[in-house]
Amino acid sequence: MKEIPPTPESFREIAAAADRLLTGIEGLTDADIPVPSRLPGWTRGHVLCHLARQAPALERLLEWARTGVVTPQYPDRATRDAEIEAGAHRPAAALAADVRATAAHFQRTAEALPAPAWQATIRPFTGELCTPQRVLAIRVRELELHHVDLAIGYEVADIPASARRIILADVLGYYAEADGVPDFTLRDHGGAVLARFGTGGPAVTGTPADALGWLAGRTGGTGLHSTTGQLPVLPPWL
């Protein structure tokens, strides 16, 4: 799974993704909040509340790394889901303020984490053992893809290349370890291999943005070409 180093460049990447999101939601009205998002069963309010509550959840993992005391990201899925549901129906201004405040707090916490803590072993909600450097990749991924999920005019193709590379590597890392992934080779338009799964199957070609949208379940694969005429059927991502 993807990790990124705690460098000024990485911190700027996270801050820029948060700024893009905050700019995108600043015009939302109360009537916009209950509109369905692109995530099944979630409104825009659910997505915004998730983003706000996820920031302190990721900070708990940083606290685990700093202190060595096991501090789970969430107690369990039911608690996580209940927290999102409880806050998803607030007014637009309250949700935006929550996203803004928690994003700023996460940024300060991450940038202040002592150097030795970045090499500690933690376990995110998804179950993998990693260092806190994975938390930085998760944060970029969540800010960018959930910005897309809000359906407010921001698409996968709008994700800057630097952030897209982080997210695509993360998603490809997930599929490299997932069960039920069919054989296929993923290539960009220049023919370079982006990933290879198994030893056979079709070649799937497209832009990195097209590939990310498909792999992350945000598009149906529009823009991709398969040598068999059909895209492989992937297991659900996350």
Side-chain angles (χ1 to χ4, degrees):
M1 296 298 224
K2 180 67 174 174
E3 297 188 349
I4 57 176
T7 61
E9 291 78 15
S10 296
F11 294 136
R12 284 196 293 270
E13 196 74 67
I14 294 169
D19 285 345
R20 284 188 290 274
L21 171 69
L22 290 164
T23 298
I25 67 175
E26 65 184 7
L28 292 180
T29 68
D30 291 351
D32 295 320
I33 297 304
V35 172
S37 75
R38 290 174 173 170
L39 293 178
W42 272 18
T43 66
R44 287 173 175 154
H46 288 90
V47 174
L48 291 172
C49 188
H50 169 56
L51 283 166
R53 301 280 61 77
Q54 191 216 38
L58 292 176
E59 286 185 50
R60 288 192 282 272
L61 295 177
L62 299 182
E63 180 70 5
W64 179 347
R66 187 182 68 82
T67 64
V69 177
V70 176
T71 312
Q73 188 176 351
Y74 302 101
D76 50 53
R77 181 169 290 278
T79 300
R80 166 190 173 274
D81 293 348
E83 190 176 51
I84 293 169
E85 183 62 35
H89 310 284
R90 289 174 291 165
L95 283 163
D98 198 6
V99 173
R100 183 178 299 278
T102 54
H105 196 279
F106 174 86
Q107 192 80 22
R108 292 192 298 270
T109 300
E111 292 185 14
L113 194 70
W118 288 106
Q119 303 306 317
T121 299
I122 59 172
R123 188 188 297 272
F125 190 56
T126 41
E128 69 273 18
L129 290 174
C130 59
T131 77
Q133 296 178 58
R134 170 132 184 78
V135 171
L136 302 183
I138 291 172
R139 185 60 175 165
V140 173
R141 183 193 75 205
E142 294 290 284
L143 286 166
E144 292 290 356
L145 290 185
H146 286 320
H147 192 173
V148 173
D149 293 334
L150 287 168
I152 55 176
Y154 190 77
E155 304 296 339
V156 173
D158 297 318
I159 299 174
S162 55
R164 187 178 61 239
R165 282 192 293 271
I166 293 169
I167 304 166
L168 182 57
D170 188 46
V171 177
L172 289 172
Y174 168 80
Y175 279 117
E177 300 177 7
D179 294 329
V181 178
D183 290 0
F184 73 98
T185 299
L186 183 65
R187 298 178 181 273
D188 66 19
H189 278 317
V193 174
L194 300 175
R196 182 176 282 112
F197 299 91
T199 57
V204 176
T205 304
T207 68
D210 290 335
L212 176 59
W214 173 57
L215 291 165
R218 266 59 185 189
T219 70
T222 302
L224 295 175
H225 171 76
S226 170
T227 51
T228 63
Q230 292 185 322
L231 295 174
V233 177
L234 301 174
W237 179 62
L238 295 182

